[in-house]
Amino acid sequence: MEHTLDATMDPIWDKVGRLHAWLDAESDLPPQQETLLRMLKLSEEVGEVAQAVIGATGQNPRKGRTHSWRDVESELCDVIITAMVALRTLTPDAAGVFDTHVRRVAARSLGSAEN
């Protein structure tokens, strides 16, 4: 499948690549273990979204309101960044893989509205 997005032309994917390289440089784990841990990191970040939503809505009577909706936004961004780095860990063409996948999902979900 041909990918249409060139990662060198996208500043976000450039930053993701730099984060990936930084994490690799800081790790002393075997590559397979590092890859698995980056996938698991997603669960941790999603848990932080849940904690922020519970805190923003005050659903824990013992704690009350502990977070704002801005905190939820921030945690969601962390999930996205973590997923992008995880994808980059699996493939150097993360930008192209993601672009192709978004196009496929949009075509399937939006149908002719995208054309």
Side-chain angles (χ1 to χ4, degrees), residues 21-38:
W22 171 72
L23 287 169
D24 278 355
E26 293 294 318
S27 177
D28 58 357
L29 298 172
Q32 280 187 314
Q33 188 175 359
E34 186 64 39
T35 298
L36 291 174
L37 290 172
R38 288 188 193 164

Side-chain angles (χ1 to χ4, degrees), residues 13-27 34-35 38-39 81 84-92 94:
W13 282 105
D14 178 62
K15 286 178 181 67
V16 168
R18 291 185 1 232
L19 287 167
H20 171 263
W22 171 72
L23 287 169
D24 278 355
E26 293 294 318
S27 177
E34 186 64 39
T35 298
R38 288 188 193 164
M39 302 307 127
I81 293 166
M84 292 174 84
V85 171
L87 182 59
R88 174 55 189 86
T89 299
L90 293 178
T91 177

Side-chain angles (χ1 to χ4, degrees), residues 57-72:
T57 57
Q59 292 305 301
N60 183 336
R62 184 174 55 82
K63 294 182 180 179
R65 292 190 188 273
T66 58
H67 292 75
S68 69
W69 287 104
R70 287 210 184 258
D71 294 326
V72 175

